[in-house]
């Protein structure tokens, strides 16, 4: 099935976010963990609505986590990619000063 | 003149009022028959309201509650990010009844003044233009747009 070239990038980032969320969720109750897991960015927006698990390289479990209604995601700890972006930004700030 | 008289860390007696805190407009989502789900014109506001209402006394980091004589006017939640040496502003909300009085600016000022780290960051929904203006006005700059949220940051070292 033909996917846009950008779908792969989204999948990689989504996987990373899910990993972060799971690591964090270990320390939380199940209900909160579900919300955080579901808080992974919904990167599937660019995909056809009838796409199935496997079409986008995600496992069924990852798809379920992504497609659940998200909740309280702005408050979750910084993800690895956000942390990297912050480090780059800080470096730029230092250089420009 | 400041709309917020007093900023305090959250206490147990704040909880009943906090659980009824209203910063989303409208305050609840409504069921749409055509879309067969509950909808809200600004879901990011509803998300923040729901998050602030769920805060507990023992929440990670610092929960700031701003009050005036009539009750809670603003709430902010700060979470440390020790690995990066910064602080995440998890949520900031001001009560609907004080709209237009720049309470958001006061809340951000208070957050920044309480932070002892080198920078602060916050996630903002890309559709949430008022918050983007608020953060831009207070010295924040956009760092990253990663799917769901924009990441904004402010360097506090100078």
């Amino acid at each position: 099935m033909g996917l846009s070239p950008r779908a792969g990038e989204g999948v990689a980032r989504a996987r990373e976010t899910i990993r972060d969320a799971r690591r964090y969720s270990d320390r939380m109750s199940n209900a909160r963990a579900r919300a955080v897991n579901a808080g992974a960015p919904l990167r599937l927006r660019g995909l056809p609505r009838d796409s199935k698990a496997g079409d986008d390289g995600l496992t069924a479990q990852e798809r379920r986590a992504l497609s659940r209604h998200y909740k309280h995601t702005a408050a979750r700890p910084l993800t690895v990619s956000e942390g990297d972006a912050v480090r780059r930004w800080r470096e730029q700030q230092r250089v420009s000063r | 003149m400041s709309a917020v008289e007093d900023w305090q860390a959250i206490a147990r007696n704040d909880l009943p009022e906090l659980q009824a805190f209203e910063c989303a407009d409208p305050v609840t989502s409504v069921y749409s028959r055509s879309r067969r789900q509950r909808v809200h014109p600004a879901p990011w506001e509803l998300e923040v309201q729901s998050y602030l209402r769920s805060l507990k006394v023992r929440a990670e980091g610092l929960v700031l509650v701003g009050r005036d004589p009539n009750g809670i006017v603003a709430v902010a939640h700060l979470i440390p990010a020790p690995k990066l040496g910064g602080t995440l502003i998890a949520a900031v909300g001001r009560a609907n009844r004080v709209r237009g009085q720049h309470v958001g600016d006061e809340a951000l000022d208070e957050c920044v003044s309480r932070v002892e780290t080198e920078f602060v960051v916050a996630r903002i929904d890309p559709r949430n233009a008022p918050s983007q203006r608020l953060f831009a006005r207070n010295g924040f700059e956009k760092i990253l747009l990663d799917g769901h949220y924009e990441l904004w940051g402010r360097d506090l070292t100078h």
Side-chain angles (χ1 to χ4, degrees), chain B residues 35-55:
Chain B
R35 292 168 66 179
R36 295 183 184 176
Q37 60 182 353
R38 294 185 74 84
V39 292
H40 191 279
W44 52 89
E45 289 180 6
L46 206 56
E47 190 193 344
V48 168
Q49 177 179 274
S50 155
Y51 178 73
L52 293 175
R53 286 179 174 190
S54 73
L55 287 172

Side-chain angles (χ1 to χ4, degrees), chain B residues 11-22 52-53 65-75 95 97:
Chain B
R12 191 162 293 278
N13 55 7
D14 291 326
L15 293 182
E17 203 179 336
L18 187 61
Q19 283 158 12
F21 185 66
E22 296 181 354
L52 293 175
R53 286 179 174 190
V65 177
R67 286 183 167 280
D68 71 359
N70 297 320
I72 294 178
V73 287
V75 185
R97 65 186 171 83

Side-chain angles (χ1 to χ4, degrees), chain B residues 96-117:
Chain B
N96 285 336
R97 65 186 171 83
V98 290
R99 168 176 297 166
Q101 297 178 31
H102 294 285
V103 173
D105 293 84
E106 287 183 47
L108 267 190
D109 269 353
E110 187 64 25
C111 289
V112 169
S113 70
R114 299 253 184 164
V115 163
E116 291 172 357
T117 52

Side-chain angles (χ1 to χ4, degrees), chain B:
Chain B
M1 193 186 135
S2 168
V4 186
E5 283 194 356
D6 183 34
W7 287 97
Q8 294 283 341
I10 191 171
R12 191 162 293 278
N13 55 7
D14 291 326
L15 293 182
E17 203 179 336
L18 187 61
Q19 283 158 12
F21 185 66
E22 296 181 354
C23 65
D25 183 24
V27 174
T28 59
S29 55
V30 292
Y31 184 76
S32 159
R33 287 175 68 91
S34 59
R35 292 168 66 179
R36 295 183 184 176
Q37 60 182 353
R38 294 185 74 84
V39 292
H40 191 279
W44 52 89
E45 289 180 6
L46 206 56
E47 190 193 344
V48 168
Q49 177 179 274
S50 155
Y51 178 73
L52 293 175
R53 286 179 174 190
S54 73
L55 287 172
K56 302 282 183 260
V57 175
R58 294 174 69 181
E60 185 186 1
L62 174 65
V63 180
L64 287 171
V65 177
R67 286 183 167 280
D68 71 359
N70 297 320
I72 294 178
V73 287
V75 185
H77 185 199
L78 304 172
I79 300 177
K83 278 187 189 166
L84 291 168
T87 302
L88 172 70
I89 300 179
V92 180
R94 59 97 189 90
N96 285 336
R97 65 186 171 83
V98 290
R99 168 176 297 166
Q101 297 178 31
H102 294 285
V103 173
D105 293 84
E106 287 183 47
L108 267 190
D109 269 353
E110 187 64 25
C111 289
V112 169
S113 70
R114 299 253 184 164
V115 163
E116 291 172 357
T117 52
E118 293 185 347
F119 65 91
V120 278
V121 290
R123 292 191 184 95
I124 304 178
D125 191 292
R127 299 163 292 179
N128 187 357
S131 282
Q132 290 168 12
R133 285 197 298 272
L134 167 70
F135 278 76
R137 201 161 60 227
N138 283 278
F140 283 73
E141 57 185 292
K142 197 191 295 182
I143 301 173
L144 174 74
L145 169 56
D146 186 18
H148 237 81
Y149 292 102
E150 291 174 353
L151 190 65
W152 287 62
R154 178 174 163 186
D155 193 341
L156 303 176
T157 52
H158 58 277

Side-chain angles (χ1 to χ4, degrees), chain A residues 52-71:
Chain A
K52 294 185 176 63
D55 288 350
D56 47 20
L58 292 175
T59 64
Q61 193 183 10
E62 285 169 337
R63 271 189 73 88
R64 272 199 301 278
L66 283 172
S67 58
R68 271 183 216 132
H69 179 69
Y70 71 94
K71 213 177 172 190

